[in-house]
Amino acid sequence: MYRLSVEKLVVVCVLAVGLMACAVSSDDKMPKAIANPLVNMGEIKSVASGFISTEGPVWHKASNSLIFSDIPGNTIYSLETKTNKLSTLRAPTDTANGLALDGEGYLLAAEQDTRIISRMNLTTSEVEPYITHVDIDGVSKAFNSPND
């Protein structure tokens, strides 16, 4: 189990703001939007359906898959992009929404019901609590409703 300190949280927020600032051109104006970003991208086709509300997509290079959650469906799916095969990775998910992969290849999920960040081994499907509290001024506090 890992506790995230306020200092580390501030660093993450600063990095996110820095990345957003990189989107601004050198003359401090936002880049011009492309009229249609799908021009010359090929045909658009539906490869899966029946979801209630999808969230948290993350690319898993090792399996050539897009992993995403269906929050009210309480399921995390994997869509293998070469075959369009849809697989259930985890159900129930404790209403997981935002997803990420850590440096070791584990799937992190922000769980609203349990108010934690969980960590899933994609090989064994084992899920464990990963970040359960944040330390603020020496006081350990639970998440309210973790999201992305």
Side-chain angles (χ1 to χ4, degrees):
M1 191 175 344
Y2 181 78
R3 294 181 187 265
L4 184 67
S5 68
V6 171
E7 292 80 15
K8 289 179 183 174
L9 185 60
V10 169
V11 169
V12 169
C13 291
V14 168
L15 289 173
V17 170
L19 288 173
M20 288 187 292
C22 291
V24 178
S25 65
S26 61
D27 62 357
D28 293 330
K29 294 180 183 175
M30 292 299 292
K32 291 184 180 179
I34 299 170
N36 182 352
L38 301 176
V39 169
N40 300 322
M41 295 299 288
E43 178 187 354
I44 298 173
K45 63 181 178 176
S46 176
V47 296
S49 63
F51 311 108
I52 302 168
S53 177
T54 59
E55 169 71 81
V58 64
W59 178 251
H60 186 245
K61 186 177 181 179
S63 65
N64 199 39
S65 299
L66 181 68
I67 299 173
F68 61 96
S69 59
D70 183 353
I71 302 168
N74 211 18
T75 305
I76 296 175
Y77 294 98
S78 174
L79 177 66
E80 200 283 321
T81 57
K82 289 190 178 177
T83 63
N84 292 332
K85 179 183 176 196
L86 185 68
S87 303
T88 299
L89 285 184
R90 182 178 164 203
T93 66
D94 294 312
T95 319
N97 55 35
L99 304 174
L101 292 168
D102 70 9
E104 297 176 30
Y106 288 83
L107 181 67
L108 305 178
E111 297 181 7
Q112 293 177 334
D113 289 350
T114 58
R115 300 171 57 186
I116 68 166
I117 307 300
S118 64
R119 188 175 191 224
M120 178 180 179
N121 181 320
L122 292 173
T123 303
T124 66
S125 298
E126 181 182 339
V127 179
E128 63 185 11
Y130 186 56
I131 303 174
T132 60
H133 291 77
V134 176
D135 292 330
I136 301 174
D137 296 328
V139 178
S140 181
K141 298 193 179 215
F143 289 106
N144 181 27
S145 180
N147 198 328
D148 302 335

